[in-house]
């Protein structure tokens, strides 16, 4: 349909960015006529569709912004493979109340037990709940902070990492951190302290963080702030990456290794 009135409606929908309604205007009007909708019914349907599309777009934009290394959900996490893990606790954390309360979540455990998977899965729940989330590895975070420091832009960079309502810092402890990096990390943790919830993952127990940060005093100060309001989940099971190999008997389980 193309009358001056329809053209005006289209133009106004465009100005108001009601893109969904603009895209399906003809179909919507046809359907309204065919089904003899009341004006209220048509308006109701139009608004439901528009808001649905807007929510979808916002979700997609925030998921993209979060920069997850992969998209894995809680629904695809096999809790049976990690019987030591408290499923109820993880599901409660996925309810995002810890974010609302400004608390942190620390996931500890050896490689392959699902730390990143769970961090991403909870991050996705946070996005669905309306939060802005940013995922980074500790290495990438420190590289970005160090570079910004060298270029006199540290303040801006710290702000970038303070803006997201949930910051996920993955893989603390995989690589040793230099003195400057440890200092910059401390500055970030101090900024987010008590107001910027984080999910942190590490393959190192807290007792080893002194070595990770190359400085026991600094590591204690960092841990002090992180753990003041935090839940810690330790995953002690087997690596999921080795699942198939373990099954075939190609390699032995960790506890068998330790017993041997
Ligand atoms: P980590 O970060 O602890 O090293 P990841 O989260 O990267 O481990 O897990 C390694 C791989 O195994 C990923 O592809 C992840 O999706 C998968 N994975 C780990 N644990 C589970 C699990 N319990 N159920 C389903 N997939 C899992
Ligand atoms: Mg990982």
């Amino acid at each position: 349909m193309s009358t001056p009135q329809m053209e005006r409606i289209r133009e106004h929908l465009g100005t108001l960015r009601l893109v969904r309604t603009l895209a399906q205007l003809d179909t919507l009007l046809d359907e309204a006529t065919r089904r003899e909708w009341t004006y209220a019914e048509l308006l109701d349907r139009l608004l439901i569709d528009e808001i649905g599309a807007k929510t979808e777009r916002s979700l997609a934009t925030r998921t993209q912004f979060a920069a997850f290394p992969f998209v894995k959900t809680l629904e695809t996490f096999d809790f049976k493979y990690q019987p030591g893990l408290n499923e109820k606790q993880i599901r409660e954390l996925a309810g995002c109340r810890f974010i609302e309360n400004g608390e942190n979540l620390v996931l500890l455990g050896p490689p392959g037990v699902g730390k990143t998977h769970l961090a991403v899965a909870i991050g996705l729940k946070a996005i669905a709940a309306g939060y802005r989330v940013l995922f980074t590895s500790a290495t990438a975070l420190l590289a970005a902070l160090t570079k910004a420091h060298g270029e006199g832009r540290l303040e801006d960079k710290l702000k970038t990492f303070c803006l997201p309502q949930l910051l996920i810092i993955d893989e603390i402890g995989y690589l040793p951190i230099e003195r400057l990096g440890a200092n910059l990390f401390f500055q970030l943790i101090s900024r987010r302290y008590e107001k910027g919830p984080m999910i942190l993952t590490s393959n190192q127990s807290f007792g080893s963080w002194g070595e990770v940060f190359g400085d026991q005093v600094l590591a204690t100060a960092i841990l002090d702030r992180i753990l003041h309001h935090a839940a810690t989940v330790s995953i002690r099971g087997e690596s999921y990456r080795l699942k198939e190999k373990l099954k075939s008997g190609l390699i032995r389980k960790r506890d068998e290794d330790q017993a041997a």
Side-chain angles (χ1 to χ4, degrees):
M1 235 191 299
S2 178
T3 61
Q5 186 190 42
M6 285 305 287
E7 271 164 33
R8 193 168 57 242
I9 291 174
R10 284 204 180 84
E11 197 184 317
H12 287 166
L13 287 171
T15 307
L16 291 171
R17 295 186 199 287
L18 299 174
V19 285
R20 174 67 185 229
T21 309
L22 180 59
Q24 58 165 20
L25 186 61
D26 287 338
T27 331
L28 203 64
L29 292 178
D30 283 351
E31 203 177 348
T33 310
R34 213 165 6 93
R35 299 195 181 197
E36 300 181 354
W37 282 347
T38 62
Y39 300 124
E41 276 171 338
L42 172 63
L43 198 57
D44 189 29
R45 169 66 185 276
L46 188 153
L47 292 173
I48 286 173
D49 284 1
E50 194 62 55
I51 285 181
K54 197 172 173 186
T55 309
E56 239 171 66
R57 280 200 305 277
S58 154
L59 216 68
T61 309
R62 279 177 298 121
T63 305
Q64 205 174 10
F65 175 85
F68 295 122
F70 49 64
V71 173
K72 299 252 171 132
T73 61
L74 206 57
E75 288 67 35
T76 63
F77 191 83
D78 180 5
F79 282 93
K80 283 193 204 81
Y81 191 75
Q82 291 298 348
L85 199 59
N86 183 341
E87 179 173 349
K88 193 163 158 254
Q89 184 192 16
I90 299 294
R91 293 203 182 279
E92 222 165 87
L93 287 162
C96 296
R97 205 168 332 132
F98 78 100
I99 300 175
E100 206 174 298
N101 297 342
E103 292 164 5
N104 299 319
L105 165 63
V106 188
L107 299 167
L108 297 179
V113 292
K115 301 183 297 298
T116 305
H117 185 137
L118 286 175
V120 169
I122 296 173
L124 283 168
K125 294 281 184 201
I127 287 174
Y131 293 104
R132 269 171 292 115
V133 178
L134 180 64
F135 182 106
T136 175
S137 71
T139 309
L141 170 77
L142 291 176
L145 289 178
T146 306
K147 183 163 180 276
H149 177 261
E151 294 168 351
R153 294 182 297 105
L154 180 62
E155 192 54 34
D156 284 352
K157 208 45 156 187
L158 283 170
K159 275 190 194 139
T160 309
F161 288 113
C162 284
L163 272 175
Q165 288 150 311
L166 174 67
L167 179 67
I168 303 175
I169 307 177
D170 198 25
E171 298 189 343
I172 296 171
Y174 279 78
L175 292 174
I177 297 167
E178 290 177 8
R179 179 146 201 96
L180 174 62
N183 263 302
L184 297 174
F185 191 80
F186 173 71
Q187 285 192 46
L188 176 65
I189 297 298
S190 301
R191 294 256 180 140
R192 290 194 68 100
Y193 177 53
E194 290 195 321
K195 51 182 191 291
M198 293 177 283
I199 299 179
L200 306 114
T201 83
S202 180
N203 62 333
Q204 304 283 347
S205 64
F206 295 134
S208 307
W209 281 34
E211 282 156 49
V212 171
F213 287 96
D215 182 325
Q216 193 57 54
V217 177
L218 202 55
T220 307
I222 289 169
L223 276 173
D224 200 48
R225 280 159 184 76
I226 292 175
L227 298 179
H228 187 189
H229 309 284
T232 301
V233 174
S234 293
I235 315 173
R236 295 199 181 81
E238 296 298 334
S239 166
Y240 197 83
R241 292 193 187 102
L242 305 181
K243 190 181 171 195
E244 296 305 317
K245 288 185 190 163
L246 280 170
K247 242 196 236 164
S248 66
L250 217 63
I251 54 168
R252 286 183 302 178
K253 287 188 174 188
R254 264 184 204 116
D255 47 0
E256 286 171 0
D257 274 351
Q258 274 155 18

